[in-house]
Amino acid sequence: MGSAYYNFKKVQTVPTAADFVDIVLSKVQRKTPTVVHPNYQISRIRHFYMRKVKFAQDCFDEKLSQILEDFPKLDEIHPFYADLINVLYDKDHYKLALGQINTAKHLVDNVARDYARLMKFGDSLFRCKQLKKAALGRMATIMKRQKDSLAYLEQVRQHLARLPSIDPNTRTLLICGYPNVGKSSFMNKLTRADVEVQPYAFTTKSLFVGHMDYKNLRWQVIDTPGILDHPLEQRNTIEMQSITALAHLRTSVLFFIDLSEQCGYSIAAQCSLFDSIRPLFANKPTLLVVNKIDTMRYEAL
């Protein structure tokens, strides 16, 4: 995987806290010896229980590390994706959740280390067994406290998996303009993407991606949600998605204008939107596409 292009679909399912604990404890039960013979020497009994504690630590470590590796680090991925994640889930909340998982991993390590040390002084079978029980209990408690972080990360994972695969470095056509000016219909004609086309605003709820070949070159066509005409800080999540896309992708921009005004916005309003978001298109080839001219009589213009 290149640092720029991130495949969100490979992130593995994040179990709930209770499932997490069950998976690890049942694995410890299955994969480590379970019978202590009465004639074992104390050193062998200590080793028997120490091994269980160590194995539990390794299982927790492995699963927690997997989560930390799977989720994208915002500083290392393409700014297009970093911004998109920030818009959808709030960067701080996301980093906090991953930070808490990291902390849990260190806490589990500390518990295992402390109890392994105590186990060396276990002077009877009963004492060693109680220490093992306490160690696993504390590890389970640490994980149960991560209930919210794990649930949040699973939600993020499900949502990330549904995001379209956009390659920020490939040739791209970006289609934008007011809602209902015919962007999705144009995209359906151009590519094999199947974008729902309905006669009301905001049908395109997230970025849609299609691909087409032109003169033996592959192009990526992105249909953005309708961007309404108001200042940046008043935009909602859907509109912020468009802004992110516009700002970071290497694209040519097609701005659609509906001459018939059937979209519910006047031509003047459409032009002022074009002027207000034009700074985002600096250094990008920009085309004005005049649409729905068949519904207007020439005399009426």
Side-chain angles (χ1 to χ4, degrees):
M1 183 206 91
S3 62
Y5 185 50
Y6 193 89
N7 179 13
F8 294 116
K9 294 180 175 54
K10 76 173 179 55
V11 181
Q12 290 183 7
T13 312
V14 180
T16 62
D19 286 353
F20 210 109
V21 172
D22 290 349
I23 291 165
V24 172
L25 293 185
S26 68
K27 195 171 178 185
V28 171
Q29 188 66 14
R30 284 195 324 272
K31 303 266 186 175
T32 54
T34 50
V35 181
V36 183
H37 292 296
N39 56 353
Y40 274 0
Q41 286 186 328
I42 187 68
S43 59
R44 189 164 177 189
I45 292 171
R46 282 180 197 144
H47 181 259
F48 175 91
Y49 284 115
M50 218 180 272
R51 185 172 163 190
K52 281 188 177 298
V53 172
K54 279 290 195 203
F55 189 79
Q57 176 201 359
D58 292 343
C59 292
F60 277 119
D61 264 11
E62 183 191 351
K63 293 195 87 58
L64 291 170
S65 302
Q66 179 76 49
I67 292 173
L68 293 168
E69 279 167 29
D70 273 357
F71 279 91
K73 296 184 179 46
L74 297 186
D75 307 332
E76 292 172 15
I77 55 177
H78 192 281
F80 165 70
Y81 283 125
D83 267 19
L84 199 58
I85 288 175
N86 189 18
V87 166
L88 297 172
Y89 321 112
D90 179 38
K91 184 171 65 191
D92 300 332
H93 194 173
Y94 175 79
K95 282 187 171 174
L96 192 68
L98 285 177
Q100 284 176 329
I101 297 296
N102 197 24
T103 308
K105 181 168 166 275
H106 291 306
L107 288 173
V108 166
D109 290 349
N110 291 344
V111 166
R113 199 173 55 242
D114 292 348
Y115 278 88
R117 196 180 298 129
L118 289 171
M119 200 90 68
K120 287 176 186 162
F121 303 105
D123 51 7
S124 66
L125 171 65
F126 177 74
R127 177 70 56 86
C128 290
K129 188 172 183 177
Q130 290 305 92
L131 284 170
K132 184 266 305 189
K133 207 169 167 182
L136 296 189
R138 282 187 63 185
M139 288 179 192
T141 306
I142 290 167
M143 281 319 304
K144 282 177 180 161
R145 287 195 185 128
Q146 299 308 316
K147 187 177 74 176
D148 295 341
S149 295
L150 291 168
Y152 169 75
L153 286 172
E154 172 57 15
Q155 277 183 324
V156 170
R157 183 199 70 82
Q158 287 176 3
H159 196 266
L160 279 178
R162 290 196 294 269
L163 284 181
S165 308
I166 295 174
D167 183 349
N169 297 320
T170 196
R171 294 176 199 81
T172 309
L173 278 180
L174 196 63
I175 303 174
C176 56
Y178 266 115
N180 254 11
V181 290
K183 303 190 294 292
S184 299
S185 311
F186 175 77
M187 172 138 177
N188 287 346
K189 285 275 184 292
L190 210 58
T191 70
R192 288 180 290 284
D194 191 19
V195 181
E196 60 171 326
V197 179
Q198 308 248 300
Y200 54 86
F202 291 117
T203 32
T204 316
K205 282 290 187 286
S206 60
L207 302 175
F208 277 93
V209 183
H211 295 89
M212 64 166 193
D213 295 318
Y214 176 68
K215 292 188 177 173
N216 298 330
L217 290 176
R218 201 73 200 272
W219 286 75
Q220 179 173 256
V221 185
I222 301 180
D223 180 13
T224 57
I227 332 172
L228 290 173
D229 189 6
H230 48 233
L232 262 174
E233 53 277 3
Q234 291 173 17
R235 295 178 190 274
N236 63 26
T237 313
I238 299 173
E239 292 153 13
M240 284 307 289
Q241 274 186 4
S242 316
I243 303 292
T244 336
L246 298 177
H248 288 303
L249 297 174
R250 290 171 44 191
T251 62
S252 302
V253 180
L254 301 179
F255 186 89
F256 275 65
I257 283 189
D258 175 3
L259 261 195
S260 67
E261 301 186 357
Q262 285 177 352
C263 63
Y265 302 95
S266 67
I267 294 175
Q270 295 179 60
C271 291
S272 75
L273 171 64
F274 180 61
D275 292 335
S276 75
I277 57 179
R278 198 160 189 178
L280 288 169
F281 306 153
N283 312 326
K284 295 189 175 87
T286 307
L287 278 178
L288 264 180
V289 180
V290 180
N291 200 12
K292 300 192 188 177
I293 50 172
D294 50 340
T295 57
M296 281 290 280
R297 299 284 299 277
Y298 182 70
E299 297 79 45
L301 285 173

